[in-house]
Amino acid sequence: MAAPCYVEMSRCCVYLSKFALYLLVLLCLLCVKHTVETPHVVRPRGVPLSKASLYDPEKNFGCLDGSNVIPFHFVNDDYCDCADGSDEPGTSACPHGFFHCTNAGYIPKFIPSSRVNDGICDCCDLSDEYDSPARCINDCKELGGHRIREQKEKLEQIQKGFETRQLLAKEGTEKKKEHEEKLEQLQQELQELEVKKRELEVVKKAAEEPEKQAKEAHEKNWQEQKKQKADALNKAGAEAAFPVLDVDGDGIITPEELMVRTEFDMNDDGVITEEELKTRFGDEGLMDWDLETFTETMWYKLKYIYQHPKDEEAEVADDNDKEPEPFSPPSPSVDVTEGDGDGSEHALDEEEDEDDDDDDDDDFLEGEDDDEDAGDMDDDKDGAKDKMPEYETETKRLIQVANDARNAYEEAQQQHQTMADEIKNLERYTKNYYGQENEFLQLDKQCFEYTEREYIYKLCLYDKVSQRPKAGGGETSLGVWDKWLGTEDNEFDQMSFSDGVQCWNGPKRSAKVMVTCGLENQLLSASEPNRCEYLFTFTTPAVCTIPTRTPDLLHDEL
């Protein structure tokens, strides 16, 4: 028969006799599971609740390091029996032991056993000074309340920082989308512009060829005119000088006739030797010259030294203090003043009219301003230069057509370069990692400064870090953007900058930036813990994560 403990008492009474009822009651009493109240374990002083089960007063105590087993009444007897001091958690007997402050209402903690009963309250609940004259106040509740307020304030800051981060993420995502759309648009426009630029280049080359030919023909014609004029001037000068140098009028200029010209005297001793003539004019100085060969060869060598009698008179008039240079008279048999019918007198008349010819030449040479294709003629005696005549109408038209084609091509080329630069800048947004929600994109290339005793430090995110002296001077690069050095728990807790300016006789400068949650983007500190290695602290709401509930700091341990 099944145990009647599991049958309702009323039902049992119906089917059983009074005797049976008594028997049933007895059996039920035997079936009842009696609950034995667990005795309250009083843990020794200085033992945390988590280790209370290891201190059972009904058993011998085993040292927690296994070094010894002692009677339980040896615990906290002010004598160290265990090597780890676990038998004296509430006294200062063991040098390596620790005392646990319960600090109900605040934060529990461990202190070295040497501080127990030393007259200084280390536990806010005064538990470490149970046998000392120290007069302390239990302020655990007050400290706990203060800490809770701090935690709540910190939680509020984290909450605000997280809200700002969400805003940064939203703006960053929108901006990245804009960048991607703009990049796609510019890439398409760049392809179209490349086609246009090639077409304009073809047009430019086609327009430049006839322009080049017309300008070359114009310049060639001008060079020929200059040569003809130069030859005419040279011939006129030679013809004017020849009868003067041909002292005897025999149609031949000899070295002896050159020796009477004082301007050929190199050492100004009044005597011209053959050696001086050879030094001046080479072997030609010792040869005889008729008018034709003199004009073609010798005149080019002596025309810048030769002084026409008319020039000599002008020098005397300008400088009365100077005596005219001596002039050797011609041979008595030669009359150069009246002429002898050989044309010398006529040549002198032509020489006198040389200045008038120069004036006419100047009028002939007047034209438009010099341009890149204008050529200069050899200097005449007055130092004036010839200018190329103005282009013909057809040549001007060809130049204008070519200029228009060049301008159109250069404008397209400039547009192409500007667009390519903009595309390159947009592409960097696709290469840099700004977080899963693009929360760091808004900080790209934003700069922040921190000033300390000697230097001003500058941090530009995704760009560079630098320092400059407060007293003035240029910036020194401490590194350029490298990568994030985050951990698995937080991939954005550290930045790396490398490849800065090399230290003297040392490595290249580098920097690490520790990133923490804050309501503002701010560079908080800068230091150089190792030579040429810099450390910064930067706060930003971009790393503020979802806030968690503040833990309940008010607790009571049993």
Side-chain angles (χ1 to χ4, degrees):
M1 181 172 126
C5 299
Y6 303 99
V7 182
E8 293 180 4
M9 188 64 68
S10 59
R11 183 176 297 179
C12 291
C13 292
V14 174
Y15 295 102
L16 298 176
S17 63
K18 185 176 181 180
F19 175 79
L21 180 59
Y22 290 145
L23 181 60
L24 178 61
V25 172
L26 178 63
L27 290 175
C28 288
L29 291 174
L30 293 174
C31 293
V32 173
K33 181 178 180 182
H34 295 280
T35 303
V36 179
E37 183 180 357
T38 303
H40 177 65
V41 178
V42 180
R43 66 185 188 274
R45 190 189 305 273
V47 176
L49 182 61
S50 61
K51 294 184 179 180
S53 61
L54 302 176
Y55 292 83
D56 188 352
E58 302 297 329
K59 301 177 182 179
N60 290 334
F61 176 73
C63 298
L64 300 186
D65 64 353
S67 61
N68 197 4
V69 177
I70 59 175
F72 190 81
H73 65 272
F74 283 6
V75 175
N76 279 343
D77 65 349
D78 207 20
Y79 184 83
C80 193
D81 298 291
C82 299
D84 61 355
S86 57
D87 64 315
E88 298 296 320
T91 73
S92 59
C94 298
H96 303 298
F98 289 93
F99 179 88
H100 179 262
C101 302
T102 301
N103 289 345
Y106 189 50
I107 303 174
K109 68 177 182 178
F110 286 91
I111 64 172
S113 297
S114 60
R115 298 183 183 179
V116 176
N117 292 323
D118 64 350
I120 300 175
C121 295
D122 297 291
C123 304
C124 66
D125 62 0
L126 320 181
S127 58
D128 62 315
E129 298 300 319
Y130 60 88
D131 191 20
S132 78
R135 295 182 179 182
C136 304
I137 300 176
N138 187 335
D139 57 356
C140 288
K141 296 289 185 181
E142 182 181 351
L143 292 174
H146 180 69
R147 181 169 176 81
I148 287 177
R149 288 192 296 272
E150 287 183 343
Q151 291 289 342
K152 287 182 178 179
E153 291 177 359
K154 184 177 181 181
L155 181 62
E156 291 176 356
Q157 290 184 349
I158 294 176
Q159 178 67 38
K160 292 180 180 178
F162 178 72
E163 292 173 356
T164 305
R165 177 193 180 277
Q166 294 298 88
L167 181 61
L168 288 173
K170 179 182 178 182
E171 293 175 349
T173 300
E174 293 175 352
K175 189 172 183 179
K176 184 176 182 181
K177 183 178 180 181
E178 293 176 1
H179 289 332
E180 291 174 346
E181 292 175 352
K182 183 66 173 179
L183 178 62
E184 183 178 356
Q185 175 187 349
L186 290 178
Q187 288 174 338
Q188 178 64 33
E189 292 179 0
L190 185 67
Q191 294 178 358
E192 297 173 357
L193 190 56
E194 287 176 347
V195 174
K196 179 181 177 181
K197 191 179 76 166
R198 288 194 294 268
E199 293 174 350
L200 291 174
E201 186 176 14
V202 172
V203 173
K204 179 179 76 74
K205 290 181 178 179
E208 286 178 336
E209 184 59 31
E211 175 203 38
K212 178 182 177 183
Q213 294 177 0
K215 291 170 74 173
E216 288 178 349
H218 180 85
E219 184 174 357
K220 181 179 180 181
N221 182 56
W222 170 235
Q223 294 295 339
E224 291 177 353
Q225 293 181 23
K226 288 201 301 180
K227 185 177 183 303
Q228 292 175 1
K229 181 174 182 293
D231 291 344
L233 291 175
N234 186 72
K235 181 178 180 182
E239 290 177 349
F242 189 87
V244 177
L245 296 176
D246 183 15
V247 178
D248 59 7
D250 62 352
I252 298 296
I253 298 176
T254 63
E256 289 75 14
E257 291 174 316
L258 295 178
M259 290 180 184
V260 302
R261 303 295 300 179
T262 58
E263 62 264 37
F264 301 149
D265 185 3
M266 296 183 63
N267 54 11
D268 296 326
D269 61 353
V271 178
I272 303 173
T273 64
E274 291 186 355
E275 188 65 27
E276 286 180 298
L277 289 179
K278 186 173 182 181
T279 301
R280 282 275 193 193
F281 310 115
D283 292 338
E284 289 85 349
L286 303 180
M287 297 172 58
D288 295 338
W289 301 92
D290 58 18
L291 177 59
E292 181 178 358
T293 55
F294 174 79
T295 301
E296 294 176 354
T297 306
M298 189 60 178
W299 175 241
Y300 290 100
K301 293 190 175 185
L302 61 80
K303 66 179 180 178
Y304 298 107
I305 307 172
Y306 165 73
Q307 292 184 359
H308 190 275
K310 182 178 179 181
D311 298 330
E312 295 175 354
E313 294 173 3
E315 287 184 4
V316 173
D318 293 339
D319 191 355
N320 294 325
D321 295 334
K322 289 186 178 181
E323 294 294 334
E325 293 186 13
F327 179 77
S328 299
S331 170
S333 61
V334 179
D335 184 1
V336 297
T337 57
E338 297 181 0
D340 58 355
D342 61 353
S344 298
E345 185 176 0
H346 177 69
L348 289 172
D349 293 337
E350 288 181 351
E351 183 177 338
E352 291 175 355
D353 294 335
E354 183 177 357
D355 290 341
D356 295 338
D357 293 338
D358 290 343
D359 294 337
D360 295 339
D361 292 337
D362 291 338
D363 294 337
F364 170 79
L365 293 173
E366 288 183 358
E368 65 177 6
D369 293 339
D370 291 341
D371 60 19
E372 59 183 2
D373 297 303
D376 292 334
M377 182 181 177
D378 292 338
D379 294 350
D380 57 19
K381 291 180 70 176
D382 296 329
K385 289 186 177 181
D386 292 339
K387 296 180 181 179
M388 186 165 61
E390 185 178 353
Y391 287 120
E392 295 82 359
T393 301
E394 178 60 18
T395 303
K396 289 181 179 180
R397 186 189 69 81
L398 294 175
I399 292 174
Q400 184 61 49
V401 171
N403 284 338
D404 292 342
R406 275 190 292 268
N407 291 337
Y409 173 76
E410 290 173 0
E411 182 179 356
Q413 192 174 36
Q414 182 62 38
Q415 292 177 355
H416 184 278
Q417 184 61 50
T418 301
M419 193 174 297
D421 293 341
E422 189 174 358
I423 288 176
K424 184 178 180 181
N425 184 56
L426 290 173
E427 286 177 340
R428 66 184 297 275
Y429 287 102
T430 63
K431 296 178 181 178
N432 288 333
Y433 180 52
Y434 299 105
Q436 295 181 354
E437 297 179 300
N438 301 302
E439 59 270 22
F440 279 92
L441 191 143
Q442 292 292 81
L443 299 179
D444 184 77
K445 286 195 174 182
Q446 285 196 32
C447 298
F448 308 89
E449 291 189 349
Y450 173 78
T451 302
E452 54 101 60
R453 186 166 54 88
E454 295 184 31
Y455 295 100
I456 299 175
Y457 294 91
K458 186 176 183 180
L459 165 66
C460 299
L461 275 70
Y462 292 96
D463 190 9
K464 62 182 180 179
V465 286
S466 62
Q467 72 174 10
R468 68 179 187 273
K470 288 177 62 177
E475 285 189 347
T476 299
S477 172
L478 306 183
V480 295
W481 169 255
D482 186 8
K483 59 185 177 181
W484 288 99
L485 291 177
T487 60
E488 293 182 0
D489 296 333
N490 186 356
E491 59 182 336
F492 296 113
D493 62 0
Q494 190 175 154
M495 305 178 197
S496 173
F497 292 81
S498 59
D499 201 26
V501 173
Q502 187 166 0
C503 289
W504 182 82
N505 199 26
K508 287 187 175 181
R509 290 174 170 83
S510 63
K512 291 182 180 178
V513 182
M514 310 304 295
V515 186
T516 59
C517 172
L519 295 181
E520 298 181 0
N521 300 310
Q522 188 175 5
L523 187 59
L524 296 180
S525 66
S527 61
E528 188 179 2
N530 299 309
R531 183 168 181 260
C532 305
E533 295 180 0
Y534 298 82
L535 182 64
F536 297 86
T537 302
F538 179 73
T539 64
T540 173
V543 296
C544 294
T545 56
I546 299 176
T548 57
R549 176 178 173 273
T550 302
D552 186 6
L553 298 177
L554 299 178
H555 63 280
D556 292 300
E557 291 186 347
L558 299 177

